[in-house]
Amino acid sequence: MHQLPSGLDQLTLQGDFEAFSPQELFDYWITPSLLTQWWPEEAEVNPCKGGTYKFSWPSMNWVLQGKFKEITPGEKISFTWKWNHDPEDEKHLLVTVQFAGAETAGTLLTINHGPYGASEEDQESRQGHLEGWIHFCMKLAGLREGIQDSTLVDGEA
């Protein structure tokens, strides 16, 4: 994953996930048993327009939750973003994740997160989201490689 040029009010990242088809990668974003392999410790998901999600990290007492604004299977997910430790009056951010077939193989994943304000606090939050997305997307990419490896071992047994 790498950051694409964008204004200070948005964060845009993109990366190739060669081991996933767009639909397979999409499933890792909406299926609780797959989500918890790479991102939250616990996940509750109602994956439809207007549906809600709740991602929890009980070990840190963190909860991320919001609503799905758009879901197009294998292509796009858009959802609101708010932490339980954010101030009550803080606005929800919007995350849009797009899944496109890559030129050679796999999926080109694009994440857009925002809007952010110009304040130092908002820009620190933007930087934290950048680091978080890179970390967790690397974890996601590594999972698929592990699945492929275990399939080969199981097939040989």
Side-chain angles (χ1 to χ4, degrees):
M1 292 295 291
H2 60 278
Q3 183 177 3
L4 296 178
S6 59
L8 295 177
D9 64 329
Q10 294 292 320
L11 173 61
T12 304
L13 299 103
Q14 195 169 70
D16 291 316
F17 286 74
E18 295 176 0
F20 292 87
S21 72
Q23 184 61 52
E24 289 169 328
L25 191 58
F26 176 91
D27 290 343
Y28 272 82
W29 285 78
I30 63 160
T31 306
S33 62
L34 299 175
L35 272 161
T36 56
Q37 291 179 33
W38 68 277
W39 193 8
E41 294 172 13
E42 299 175 1
E44 298 172 27
V45 181
N46 180 10
C48 62
K49 185 175 181 178
T52 60
Y53 74 90
K54 181 179 178 182
F55 299 158
S56 304
W57 291 260
S59 64
M60 297 183 284
N61 197 27
W62 287 3
V63 175
L64 176 65
Q65 55 192 8
K67 290 186 178 186
F68 291 103
K69 297 293 192 179
E70 182 178 349
I71 292 193
T72 306
E75 294 179 19
K76 185 176 185 179
I77 302 171
S78 184
F79 55 93
T80 61
W81 172 288
K82 186 156 180 162
W83 289 101
N84 64 324
H85 53 266
D86 286 339
E88 190 68 31
D89 61 347
E90 188 167 309
K91 67 184 181 302
H92 288 253
L93 296 176
L94 183 68
V95 175
T96 301
V97 184
Q98 294 180 295
F99 309 83
E103 282 186 32
T104 54
T107 302
L108 179 64
L109 180 74
T110 305
I111 300 172
N112 190 5
H113 197 153
Y116 298 96
S119 72
E120 184 176 332
E121 183 177 281
D122 275 9
Q123 291 304 303
E124 286 175 6
S125 180
R126 182 181 181 275
Q127 182 63 31
H129 292 150
L130 170 64
E131 293 167 7
W133 283 125
I134 290 171
H135 169 80
F136 285 107
C137 285
M138 287 177 62
K139 193 171 175 184
L140 173 57
L143 276 179
R144 186 53 153 184
E145 292 168 12
I147 290 170
Q148 290 176 331
D149 293 344
S150 67
T151 301
L152 291 175
V153 171
D154 291 343
E156 293 173 358

